[in-house]
Amino acid sequence: MKHPSSATTAQAFVAYYRVSTERQGRSGLGLEAQRDKVAGQVASAGGQLVGEFTEVESGKRNDRPELAKALAAARSKGAVLIIAKLDRLARNARFLLSVVEGAGEAGLMFCDLPQLPPGPVGKFMVTMLAAVAELEAGMISQRTKAALDVARSRGVKLGNPQLRAGTPASAKRAAKVRTAQSKAKAADVLPYVKAARKAGATSLAQIGEALEARGVRTPRGGTTWAPAQVARILAREKVFA
Protein backbone atom coordinates (compact mmCIF):
# COMPACT_ATOMS: atom_id res chain seq x y z
CA MET A 1 0.00 0.00 0.00
CA LYS A 2 1.41 3.35 -1.06
CA HIS A 3 1.77 6.10 1.46
CA PRO A 4 -0.18 9.26 0.42
CA SER A 5 3.01 11.32 0.39
CA SER A 6 4.58 9.01 -2.21
CA ALA A 7 1.82 9.58 -4.77
CA THR A 8 3.07 10.90 -8.07
CA THR A 9 2.46 14.63 -8.47
CA ALA A 10 0.70 15.59 -11.69
CA GLN A 11 2.93 17.33 -14.22
CA ALA A 12 2.27 21.08 -14.35
CA PHE A 13 1.71 22.81 -17.69
CA VAL A 14 1.78 26.49 -18.70
CA ALA A 15 -0.09 27.25 -21.93
CA TYR A 16 0.90 29.85 -24.52
CA TYR A 17 -1.59 30.87 -27.20
CA ARG A 18 -1.02 33.23 -30.11
CA VAL A 19 -3.45 34.74 -32.59
CA SER A 20 -2.93 37.38 -35.27
CA THR A 21 -5.51 40.15 -35.22
CA GLU A 22 -5.86 40.20 -39.01
CA ARG A 23 -6.16 36.42 -39.35
CA GLN A 24 -7.97 35.35 -36.20
CA GLY A 25 -11.37 35.20 -37.85
CA ARG A 26 -10.11 33.19 -40.84
CA SER A 27 -7.62 30.96 -39.03
CA GLY A 28 -8.21 27.25 -38.90
CA LEU A 29 -6.58 27.28 -35.48
CA GLY A 30 -8.13 30.20 -33.61
CA LEU A 31 -7.93 30.88 -29.91
CA GLU A 32 -10.72 28.53 -28.85
CA ALA A 33 -9.33 25.73 -31.00
CA GLN A 34 -5.90 26.21 -29.43
CA ARG A 35 -7.40 26.03 -25.95
CA ASP A 36 -9.29 22.86 -26.82
CA LYS A 37 -6.13 21.21 -28.17
CA VAL A 38 -4.10 22.18 -25.10
CA ALA A 39 -6.82 21.04 -22.68
CA GLY A 40 -7.06 17.68 -24.45
CA GLN A 41 -3.31 17.14 -24.41
CA VAL A 42 -2.96 18.10 -20.75
CA ALA A 43 -5.83 15.76 -19.84
CA SER A 44 -4.35 12.86 -21.82
CA ALA A 45 -1.03 13.38 -20.04
CA GLY A 46 -2.77 13.38 -16.66
CA GLY A 47 -1.35 16.83 -16.01
CA GLN A 48 -2.57 20.10 -14.57
CA LEU A 49 -2.79 23.48 -16.30
CA VAL A 50 -1.32 26.05 -13.90
CA GLY A 51 -1.15 29.09 -16.17
CA GLU A 52 -2.34 30.51 -19.50
CA PHE A 53 -0.93 33.39 -21.54
CA THR A 54 -2.40 34.79 -24.76
CA GLU A 55 -0.52 36.90 -27.31
CA VAL A 56 -2.31 38.91 -30.01
CA GLU A 57 0.59 39.47 -32.34
CA SER A 58 1.98 38.54 -35.73
CA GLY A 59 4.19 35.45 -35.88
CA LYS A 60 6.87 37.55 -37.57
CA ARG A 61 7.49 39.63 -34.43
CA ASN A 62 9.97 38.40 -31.86
CA ASP A 63 9.14 40.86 -29.09
CA ARG A 64 6.39 39.02 -27.24
CA PRO A 65 5.71 40.11 -23.66
CA GLU A 66 3.14 37.36 -23.01
CA LEU A 67 5.58 34.69 -24.19
CA ALA A 68 8.19 36.11 -21.82
CA LYS A 69 5.67 35.83 -18.97
CA ALA A 70 4.79 32.26 -19.98
CA LEU A 71 8.46 31.24 -20.01
CA ALA A 72 9.04 32.83 -16.61
CA ALA A 73 5.99 31.05 -15.19
CA ALA A 74 7.09 27.69 -16.63
CA ARG A 75 10.57 28.06 -15.15
CA SER A 76 9.35 29.15 -11.73
CA LYS A 77 6.76 26.36 -11.47
CA GLY A 78 8.81 23.60 -13.04
CA ALA A 79 6.09 23.34 -15.69
CA VAL A 80 6.08 22.26 -19.31
CA LEU A 81 5.41 25.12 -21.72
CA ILE A 82 2.64 23.73 -23.92
CA ILE A 83 1.64 25.19 -27.29
CA ALA A 84 -1.15 24.02 -29.59
CA LYS A 85 0.91 24.04 -32.76
CA LEU A 86 4.53 24.63 -33.70
CA ASP A 87 3.74 27.54 -36.02
CA ARG A 88 1.78 29.26 -33.23
CA LEU A 89 5.11 29.80 -31.51
CA ALA A 90 7.42 30.88 -34.31
CA ARG A 91 8.15 30.88 -38.01
CA ASN A 92 11.77 31.73 -37.44
CA ALA A 93 14.23 28.98 -36.55
CA ARG A 94 16.56 31.22 -34.56
CA PHE A 95 13.70 32.62 -32.52
CA LEU A 96 12.45 29.10 -31.84
CA LEU A 97 15.87 28.09 -30.60
CA SER A 98 15.94 31.10 -28.26
CA VAL A 99 12.62 29.97 -26.78
CA VAL A 100 13.95 26.43 -26.34
CA GLU A 101 16.88 27.86 -24.41
CA GLY A 102 14.55 30.04 -22.34
CA ALA A 103 12.26 27.20 -21.30
CA GLY A 104 12.79 25.54 -17.94
CA GLU A 105 14.00 22.02 -17.27
CA ALA A 106 10.54 20.58 -18.03
CA GLY A 107 10.90 21.81 -21.61
CA LEU A 108 8.36 22.39 -24.37
CA MET A 109 5.44 20.41 -25.73
CA PHE A 110 3.45 20.94 -28.94
CA CYS A 111 0.01 19.38 -29.33
CA ASP A 112 0.75 18.61 -32.98
CA LEU A 113 3.93 16.81 -31.86
CA PRO A 114 2.71 14.87 -28.81
CA GLN A 115 5.46 12.29 -29.24
CA LEU A 116 8.01 14.85 -28.09
CA PRO A 117 8.84 13.97 -24.47
CA PRO A 118 9.08 16.71 -21.85
CA GLY A 119 12.44 17.60 -20.40
CA PRO A 120 15.92 17.74 -21.99
CA VAL A 121 15.18 15.10 -24.66
CA GLY A 122 12.15 17.05 -25.90
CA LYS A 123 14.14 20.29 -25.99
CA PHE A 124 16.86 18.56 -28.01
CA MET A 125 14.32 17.25 -30.54
CA VAL A 126 12.73 20.69 -30.97
CA THR A 127 16.21 22.11 -31.53
CA MET A 128 16.81 19.51 -34.25
CA LEU A 129 13.49 20.38 -35.96
CA ALA A 130 14.47 24.04 -36.02
CA ALA A 131 17.94 23.21 -37.34
CA VAL A 132 16.49 21.04 -40.14
CA ALA A 133 14.10 23.82 -41.18
CA GLU A 134 16.92 26.37 -41.29
CA LEU A 135 19.24 23.95 -43.14
CA GLU A 136 16.58 23.21 -45.76
CA ALA A 137 15.95 26.91 -46.40
CA GLY A 138 19.67 27.60 -46.68
CA MET A 139 20.32 24.71 -49.08
CA ILE A 140 17.45 25.73 -51.37
CA SER A 141 18.79 29.29 -51.47
CA GLN A 142 22.32 28.03 -52.13
CA ARG A 143 21.21 25.78 -55.01
CA THR A 144 19.24 28.61 -56.58
CA LYS A 145 22.20 30.98 -56.38
CA ALA A 146 24.57 28.35 -57.80
CA ALA A 147 22.24 27.68 -60.74
CA LEU A 148 22.03 31.40 -61.53
CA ASP A 149 25.83 31.77 -61.32
CA VAL A 150 26.31 28.88 -63.77
CA ALA A 151 23.79 30.42 -66.17
CA ARG A 152 25.56 33.79 -66.03
CA SER A 153 28.99 32.15 -66.58
CA ARG A 154 27.62 30.63 -69.80
CA GLY A 155 26.55 34.02 -71.03
CA VAL A 156 22.85 33.48 -70.40
CA LYS A 157 21.06 36.77 -69.89
CA LEU A 158 18.58 36.44 -67.09
CA GLY A 159 15.42 38.23 -68.07
CA ASN A 160 14.51 39.61 -71.45
CA PRO A 161 14.21 43.38 -71.95
CA GLN A 162 12.23 42.71 -75.15
CA LEU A 163 9.40 41.17 -73.18
CA ARG A 164 6.78 43.60 -71.99
CA ALA A 165 4.49 42.87 -69.07
CA GLY A 166 1.10 41.64 -70.16
CA THR A 167 2.15 40.28 -73.55
CA PRO A 168 1.54 36.61 -74.52
CA ALA A 169 5.30 36.04 -74.70
CA SER A 170 5.90 37.35 -71.19
CA ALA A 171 3.00 35.31 -69.83
CA LYS A 172 4.39 32.17 -71.48
CA ARG A 173 7.84 32.79 -70.05
CA ALA A 174 6.41 33.44 -66.58
CA ALA A 175 4.44 30.18 -66.78
CA LYS A 176 7.61 28.25 -67.65
CA VAL A 177 9.44 29.80 -64.71
CA ARG A 178 6.62 28.91 -62.33
CA THR A 179 6.55 25.33 -63.63
CA ALA A 180 10.30 24.95 -63.15
CA GLN A 181 10.07 26.37 -59.64
CA SER A 182 7.20 24.03 -58.78
CA LYS A 183 9.17 21.00 -59.99
CA ALA A 184 12.21 22.05 -57.97
CA LYS A 185 10.12 22.58 -54.84
CA ALA A 186 8.36 19.25 -55.28
CA ALA A 187 11.74 17.50 -55.50
CA ASP A 188 12.77 19.13 -52.23
CA VAL A 189 9.52 18.33 -50.41
CA LEU A 190 8.96 14.73 -51.54
CA PRO A 191 11.51 13.19 -49.11
CA TYR A 192 9.56 14.73 -46.23
CA VAL A 193 6.29 13.43 -47.68
CA LYS A 194 7.72 9.90 -47.88
CA ALA A 195 8.98 10.15 -44.30
CA ALA A 196 5.52 11.26 -43.15
CA ARG A 197 3.95 8.26 -44.86
CA LYS A 198 6.39 5.89 -43.19
CA ALA A 199 5.48 7.49 -39.87
CA GLY A 200 1.81 6.64 -40.47
CA ALA A 201 0.36 9.71 -42.20
CA THR A 202 -2.25 8.60 -44.74
CA SER A 203 -4.52 11.55 -45.55
CA LEU A 204 -3.54 14.79 -47.26
CA ALA A 205 -4.30 16.69 -44.05
CA GLN A 206 -2.04 14.40 -41.98
CA ILE A 207 0.81 14.76 -44.47
CA GLY A 208 0.34 18.53 -44.40
CA GLU A 209 0.53 18.55 -40.61
CA ALA A 210 3.73 16.50 -40.76
CA LEU A 211 5.29 18.97 -43.21
CA GLU A 212 4.32 21.88 -40.94
CA ALA A 213 5.81 20.10 -37.94
CA ARG A 214 9.13 19.75 -39.80
CA GLY A 215 9.06 23.43 -40.76
CA VAL A 216 8.82 22.68 -44.48
CA ARG A 217 7.65 25.74 -46.41
CA THR A 218 4.97 25.67 -49.08
CA PRO A 219 5.95 26.55 -52.69
CA ARG A 220 4.91 30.15 -51.96
CA GLY A 221 6.83 30.31 -48.72
CA GLY A 222 3.91 29.81 -46.36
CA THR A 223 3.94 27.78 -43.15
CA THR A 224 0.52 26.12 -43.43
CA TRP A 225 -0.03 23.27 -45.90
CA ALA A 226 -3.53 22.96 -47.34
CA PRO A 227 -4.61 19.51 -48.59
CA ALA A 228 -4.72 20.86 -52.16
CA GLN A 229 -1.06 21.92 -51.94
CA VAL A 230 -0.07 18.47 -50.72
CA ALA A 231 -2.05 16.93 -53.56
CA ARG A 232 -0.11 19.01 -56.12
CA ILE A 233 3.18 17.80 -54.66
CA LEU A 234 1.98 14.20 -54.80
CA ALA A 235 0.90 14.68 -58.42
CA ARG A 236 4.56 15.22 -59.29
CA GLU A 237 5.76 12.22 -57.27
CA LYS A 238 5.94 9.90 -60.32
CA VAL A 239 8.21 12.37 -62.08
CA PHE A 240 10.86 11.96 -59.39
CA ALA A 241 10.23 8.27 -58.58
Side-chain angles (χ1 to χ4, degrees), residues 11-14 50-53 67-81 101-107:
Q11 174 64 59
F13 289 85
V14 169
V50 298
E52 296 179 279
F53 298 85
L67 176 57
K69 293 177 185 177
L71 286 167
R75 289 193 300 268
S76 65
K77 298 178 180 181
V80 176
L81 180 65
E101 290 300 319
E105 292 184 1

Side-chain angles (χ1 to χ4, degrees), residues 1-229:
M1 181 176 179
K2 291 184 178 180
H3 190 278
S5 63
S6 65
T8 302
T9 303
Q11 174 64 59
F13 289 85
V14 169
Y16 174 72
Y17 313 114
R18 184 185 65 78
V19 291
S20 301
T21 54
E22 69 275 14
R23 294 183 57 191
Q24 185 174 355
R26 305 192 305 272
S27 175
L29 191 62
L31 184 56
E32 289 306 316
Q34 290 181 59
R35 283 176 172 158
D36 288 345
K37 281 182 175 289
V38 166
Q41 188 63 42
V42 171
S44 68
Q48 179 182 6
L49 194 60
V50 298
E52 296 179 279
F53 298 85
T54 302
E55 200 97 64
V56 181
E57 187 56 84
S58 167
K60 296 180 180 179
R61 293 182 64 91
N62 293 342
D63 50 330
R64 312 222 199 129
E66 293 304 310
L67 176 57
K69 293 177 185 177
L71 286 167
R75 289 193 300 268
S76 65
K77 298 178 180 181
V80 176
L81 180 65
I82 184 168
I83 300 160
K85 199 174 181 183
L86 183 61
D87 67 6
R88 293 294 90 190
L89 175 59
R91 300 172 186 172
N92 180 291
R94 292 180 183 177
F95 178 68
L96 176 57
L97 291 178
S98 72
V99 176
V100 170
E101 290 300 319
E105 292 184 1
L108 298 168
M109 178 179 286
F110 300 94
C111 295
D112 58 339
L113 294 170
Q115 70 274 19
L116 284 177
V121 175
K123 290 175 68 174
F124 172 77
M125 292 175 70
V126 172
T127 301
M128 291 300 97
L129 287 173
V132 168
E134 188 166 7
L135 175 63
E136 181 203 27
M139 291 181 69
I140 291 174
S141 175
Q142 189 176 56
R143 286 197 297 270
T144 301
K145 184 178 183 299
L148 291 174
D149 289 343
V150 170
R152 290 192 186 98
S153 69
R154 293 175 177 174
V156 176
K157 293 184 178 180
L158 303 176
N160 189 340
Q162 301 300 320
L163 294 178
R164 296 189 304 277
T167 65
S170 63
K172 185 176 181 180
R173 180 179 177 83
K176 287 183 177 181
V177 171
R178 287 194 297 270
T179 299
Q181 291 174 338
S182 296
K183 288 181 178 179
K185 182 61 180 179
D188 288 325
V189 173
L190 279 172
Y192 295 101
V193 172
K194 293 177 181 178
R197 283 171 163 172
K198 289 182 179 179
T202 56
S203 69
L204 295 177
Q206 289 173 338
I207 294 173
E209 290 175 359
L211 293 176
E212 292 170 13
R214 294 294 300 273
V216 180
R217 296 272 179 169
T218 67
R220 294 189 177 184
T223 57
T224 301
W225 281 85
Q229 291 173 306

Side-chain angles (χ1 to χ4, degrees), residues 228-240:
Q229 291 173 306
V230 177
R232 284 194 288 271
I233 294 294
L234 293 178
R236 298 187 179 276
E237 186 172 17
K238 294 180 180 180
V239 177
F240 300 100

